Amino acid sequence: YELPLRLVGSEMCIRDSKHGADGQVCGQTYIDLYRLDKNKQEYKIQAIKECVDNLIANPQESIDDWWWVDSYFMAMPLFSKLGDLYKDNVYFERMHAMHTYSKARWKLYDETDHIWFRDSTQVPARSLSPNKKKVCWSRGNGWAVAACVRVLNDLPADHSYRVEYVQLLTEMAAALKACQREDGFWNRNLADPEHLAGPETSGTALFVYGLSWGINHGVLDREFYLCLLYTSPSPRDVEES
């Protein structure tokens, strides 16, 4: 991974993405690779760190960056990974501030049903399914679940924000348990099984990832949630679907 880590991870993926989660997401992988590198040559992740440091140094410019649910998965864990790597709480603080602001301004998280809307155009006031129900995209919710467990994986056990993210994961897990299909998949629209009816594989895979992490780390009750994984499709089922 030497050449990609040095050239892509440190420069190309960040060069035009100072305020774009799409270009920042690969930084998570390069930080993971950096951790595996016994030489720990910091210049290989320098541009990634500089990008996030710039977001922290210019809070008014970056506060509105996470306006769609995918961005939580793409960008939030980048902050938490840097916070864990450098043992610097400023990354956790800024990550939480941006997350809280986005939830409040764009109202992406349904506080009643505990599922997510893709962006502000998908909230009930602006978009409903043909059956007049909410539109809660399966894969988008998968991104949110995966982002939450990645952040929890990095947050110190005694961090003040940990309780909030644990609560978020448990709320989402309960919502997912309630809307899983009999065949183990989840629907495209979690709020309306008849809207674009049929199994959705990418959301299902992300849910299984997040639920598995929660069970294995004692965040989710094993007895209560393990049944979701047993009824979830096998890789072959997903491929055939």
Side-chain angles (χ1 to χ4, degrees):
Y1 66 86
E2 182 71 20
L3 183 60
L5 182 59
R6 183 172 66 252
L7 296 181
V8 180
S10 190
E11 296 178 18
M12 294 175 65
C13 70
I14 298 297
R15 185 178 297 155
D16 299 316
S17 304
K18 291 183 178 180
H19 295 291
D22 293 283
Q24 296 165 3
V25 60
C26 57
Q28 298 180 46
T29 299
Y30 298 118
I31 291 173
D32 290 342
L33 291 171
Y34 172 80
R35 285 183 175 278
L36 295 172
D37 186 353
K38 63 180 180 180
N39 295 319
K40 295 292 188 293
Q41 296 171 303
E42 194 170 5
Y43 75 90
K44 295 178 179 178
I45 59 169
Q46 180 179 349
I48 296 168
K49 184 177 184 299
E50 288 177 354
C51 173
V52 176
D53 288 348
N54 179 66
L55 299 179
I56 294 172
N58 298 280
Q60 295 308 312
E61 294 181 15
S62 61
I63 191 66
D64 216 13
D65 282 2
W66 301 347
W67 53 266
W68 77 113
V69 70
D70 312 39
S71 62
Y72 290 141
F73 175 80
M74 293 189 284
M76 280 186 70
L78 185 56
F79 282 72
S80 65
K81 285 178 180 292
L82 287 169
D84 182 42
L85 180 63
Y86 290 101
K87 307 305 177 189
D88 189 341
N89 191 54
V90 69
Y91 294 103
F92 298 128
E93 290 290 343
R94 188 57 189 164
M95 174 198 73
H96 187 69
M98 294 175 70
H99 171 67
T100 302
Y101 177 89
S102 295
K103 279 180 64 181
R105 174 170 183 182
W106 301 114
K107 303 186 187 305
L108 301 186
Y109 185 58
D110 188 323
E111 299 284 356
T112 301
D113 292 339
H114 300 144
I115 48 182
W116 295 78
F117 305 107
R118 193 268 177 186
D119 57 50
S120 62
T121 69
Q122 300 295 305
V123 299
R126 302 182 65 183
S127 180
L128 291 173
S129 75
N131 300 312
K132 305 302 181 184
K133 296 182 179 181
K134 298 174 183 178
V135 178
C136 298
W137 179 40
S138 180
R139 184 163 70 247
N141 278 268
W143 292 136
V145 169
C148 190
V149 300
R150 287 194 171 193
V151 167
L152 282 170
N153 198 58
D154 297 328
L155 273 175
D158 59 349
H159 199 281
S160 59
Y161 295 144
R162 191 171 185 85
V163 173
E164 181 174 337
Y165 290 108
V166 166
Q167 179 181 344
L168 181 60
L169 180 60
T170 55
E171 289 177 352
M172 291 188 291
L176 291 173
K177 191 175 191 299
C179 65
Q180 188 182 29
R181 294 162 50 97
E182 291 184 0
D183 60 10
F185 287 89
W186 276 266
N187 291 298
R188 291 172 176 83
N189 183 354
L190 300 181
D192 184 354
E194 297 179 2
H195 182 207
L196 302 172
E200 205 284 338
T201 57
S202 57
T204 296
L206 288 164
F207 297 147
V208 170
Y209 163 63
L211 293 168
S212 298
W213 187 96
I215 292 170
N216 288 334
H217 289 81
V219 176
L220 299 177
D221 183 82
R222 176 177 293 271
E223 183 176 352
F224 189 69
Y225 285 105
L226 197 60
C227 60
L228 274 71
L229 306 185
Y230 282 139
T231 55
S232 294
S234 68
R236 176 176 294 179
D237 293 330
V238 171
E239 183 178 350
E240 290 176 351
S241 173

